[in-house]
Amino acid sequence: MSDARRRLPGVDVLLASVPFRQLLQRYPRGRVVDAARQALALIREEVGLKGEGALPEGDEGYAGRVGQLLESWDLPSLRPVINATGVILHTNLGRAPLSRAAREAMARVGQGYSNLEFELEPGGRGSRYVHCVRLLRELTGAPDALVVNNNAAAVVLALNTLAAGRGVLVSRGELVEIGGGFRIPDILSRSGAVLREVGTTNRTRLADYRDGVAGGDVAAILKVHRSNFRISGFTEEASLADLAILAREMDLFLVHDLGSGLLADPEALGLPAEPRAPDSLRAGVHAVAFSGDKLLGGPQAGVLLGEEPVMEAMRKNPLCRAFRVDKGTLAGLEATLKQYLDPEEALREIPALRMLATPLEDLEARARALAEGAAGGGLEVLPAPGTGVVGGGTCPGVDLPTWTLRVRAAGKSPRELALSLRKGTPPLVARVADDDVVLDLRTMDPGEDETVRVLLERFRRVVG
Ligand SMILES: *Cc1c(COP(=O)(O)O)cnc(C)c1O
């Protein structure tokens, strides 16, 4: 052992020193002891690697290290970050940011008690599943609706209710993995239904489904929206309307896993035509399922729309209890849905829609304003056009034109620079492309520009 490591003080000695008295006033003694032990272990390692120079300066130096550790322990594990990746529905970053109305509704209902499962008029037990139904019916024309935890749960619930122990026809072109472990064959088998593959990867005709039915004991057809990839070239698929006719003829259920719950007009968002839930219902599906936190722009939820007896059977399924939705989610979803009653309000107030609809000129102006004054002292910040994506397993192949800041720091690789930005307060999550760190203005709220400016300035002082 080197002499330097032998010179490390003991925990008791540190705790008795003057600078540690302040820490002991701010934190419980047990936590300070734990932090001091951990800090000493870290310092011992550093001294082993770097030698004498790694020893802190006096008791002050040790108290500083221990204080930093205690502060980092106090940070919540789950906390806000700035999304500069250009991916609007970034699953790892929490998908859709919520509108102010949704956030306020969630806070209000979380503050105290609510009529979650209570009917105020007769004054007695009610059902949590009534809460978003009227709005969902009004906005989509659905006869009935059911909200559960997420779309994966919605699909499992639908298949388990309608086809447990029996066959479900799925096109081989739709046996997809959506990401985050959602694989159609696995989900289907866990629902208790039996997968019956029909057609081929690129072509599945109505006749293939007919052959599938002829194979015996089929309860349902599952149609899955290929939401995160595209197949092109020599392709063919049976339309939802044709499948609906076949399903009625053969006495089967037709379930549509739509994925993203776009309710807004895709044209107003600059998106190509996307299938929407009302289209599925008009085509004649028995149930359509989609997420609350993709293009709908609300909290994590799974929404099922369809005929009343089908929804009622799902509500009565014990699995529905296991997938039941939280009061905060219902409050946030209801507030988000309400904003769709006025389509202009939805575009203005729901962040995911607002980001999609932001004109390129606005992004360019913000990029130029941020770049101005941010560069200097070893930091290079250049405004540049770029492309982002919708993300969240939606709109594959759709590039969103955007404006970015391309950042370089003298003496740091782009990966090191990106790491430093992620370690900031708040963390700033950016992409690395070529030799630059790229900040995409489309996914950054204009209200965050000032924070980004401060973060870059702080960083410039460090590298400068
Ligand atoms: C996203 C997606 C899912 C999973 O939805 P979650 O809300 O994340 O559970 C299922 N199916 C499709 C087609 C999807 O796009």
Side-chain angles (χ1 to χ4, degrees):
M1 193 195 260
S2 78
D3 282 345
R5 273 185 277 184
R6 226 171 274 147
R7 291 212 332 260
L8 280 170
V11 173
D12 290 345
V13 176
L14 284 180
L15 257 61
S17 72
V18 177
F20 271 77
R21 254 179 243 159
Q22 281 167 7
L23 287 179
L24 286 165
Q25 274 166 13
R26 280 182 48 204
Y27 300 95
R29 187 175 178 87
R31 297 196 85 199
V32 180
V33 172
D34 284 350
R37 284 208 185 105
Q38 189 160 326
L40 284 169
L42 288 171
I43 294 164
R44 189 170 293 122
E45 247 172 63
E46 287 165 25
V47 172
L49 292 171
K50 300 185 203 155
E52 184 99 8
L55 279 175
E57 296 255 334
D59 296 338
E60 289 283 353
Y62 286 97
R65 288 287 297 262
V66 175
Q68 271 173 14
L69 208 53
L70 284 162
E71 257 171 49
S72 74
W73 288 356
D74 268 355
L75 278 179
S77 164
L78 177 60
R79 55 206 152 106
V81 306
I82 296 177
N83 175 9
T85 64
V87 183
I88 293 184
L89 300 166
H90 199 304
T91 300
N92 302 146
L93 300 184
R95 286 205 189 145
L98 298 174
S99 68
R100 174 188 292 273
R103 294 182 327 253
E104 287 176 355
M106 291 171 93
R108 262 198 311 275
V109 88
Q111 211 155 31
Y113 299 101
S114 61
N115 62 338
L116 179 63
E117 289 184 356
F118 188 79
E119 283 196 23
L120 293 168
E121 289 239 334
R125 183 172 170 180
S127 163
R128 76 176 60 214
Y129 298 109
V130 302
H131 290 294
C132 291
V133 173
R134 194 184 46 76
L135 273 168
L136 283 167
R137 287 171 52 187
E138 189 172 343
L139 289 167
T140 65
D144 197 1
L146 171 60
V147 181
V148 292
N149 241 328
N150 51 39
N151 188 32
V155 174
V156 171
L157 182 62
L159 294 173
N160 180 269
T161 307
L162 305 176
R166 302 185 60 202
V168 174
L169 304 182
V170 189
S171 160
R172 289 198 169 85
E174 295 168 14
L175 293 174
V176 300
E177 170 170 325
I178 305 293
F182 185 91
R183 288 184 156 192
I184 290 294
D186 299 343
I187 288 283
L188 202 139
S189 82
R190 286 302 167 131
S191 76
V194 181
L195 172 62
R196 298 274 294 277
E197 303 180 16
V198 297
T200 62
T201 307
N202 58 330
R203 307 192 93 187
T204 303
R205 303 182 187 85
L206 195 60
D208 295 316
Y209 286 95
R210 270 190 200 286
D211 290 347
V213 183
D217 200 30
V218 173
I221 299 172
L222 173 66
K223 180 105 179 116
V224 183
H225 181 49
R226 275 189 294 267
S227 48
N228 60 352
F229 72 106
R230 269 187 180 167
I231 55 172
S232 58
F234 189 59
T235 65
E236 186 174 338
E237 60 182 301
S239 76
L240 215 46
D242 284 345
L243 289 177
I245 294 167
L246 178 69
R248 311 250 157 197
E249 190 186 309
M250 301 286 180
D251 206 17
L252 309 174
F253 291 108
L254 176 61
V255 177
H256 191 201
D257 176 8
L258 185 58
S260 190
L262 177 69
L263 287 184
D265 173 14
E267 210 177 303
L269 301 172
L271 295 178
E274 262 277 304
R276 289 185 286 175
D279 306 326
S280 310
L281 294 165
R282 267 196 301 274
V285 304
H286 291 90
V288 54
F290 55 87
S291 297
D293 56 354
K294 291 187 180 173
L295 280 172
L296 191 123
Q300 179 190 303
V303 179
L304 282 154
L305 305 177
E307 294 169 355
E308 202 269 338
V310 173
M311 293 296 119
E312 186 54 23
M314 293 190 202
R315 274 190 287 267
K316 286 202 175 122
N317 185 331
L319 269 186
C320 187
R321 171 64 180 79
F323 299 153
R324 90 176 179 190
V325 64
D326 166 64
K327 60 177 181 267
T329 303
L330 284 169
L333 184 62
E334 181 176 38
T336 306
L337 290 170
K338 195 153 169 263
Q339 294 182 303
Y340 279 98
L341 295 175
D342 174 357
E344 277 173 23
E345 181 184 338
L347 289 191
R348 202 175 54 235
E349 299 294 331
I350 298 174
L353 304 186
R354 185 173 63 222
M355 286 172 186
L356 278 165
T358 305
L360 211 47
E361 308 88 75
D362 293 13
L363 300 177
E364 178 179 0
R366 285 170 54 209
R368 293 195 184 283
L370 263 170
E372 200 158 305
L379 201 65
E380 211 177 274
V381 184
L382 287 176
T387 45
V389 295
V390 182
T394 60
C395 305
V398 176
D399 284 334
L400 299 175
T402 188
W403 270 79
T404 65
L405 292 174
R406 297 191 80 102
V407 188
R408 291 180 188 194
K412 269 197 190 259
S413 73
R415 283 184 177 284
E416 288 169 334
L417 173 57
L419 173 65
S420 308
L421 294 172
R422 289 199 302 275
K423 283 163 77 175
T425 313
L428 175 64
V429 184
R431 260 185 309 131
V432 172
D434 311 320
D435 289 328
D436 296 322
V437 169
V438 180
L439 310 185
D440 191 317
L441 274 288
R442 196 179 283 283
T443 49
M444 287 158 47
D445 190 89
E448 292 173 329
D449 286 1
E450 176 58 18
T451 311
V452 172
R453 199 188 57 72
V454 171
L455 283 173
L456 289 175
E457 188 178 300
R458 229 184 271 159
F459 192 76
R460 192 177 61 199
R461 268 189 259 125
V462 179
V463 287

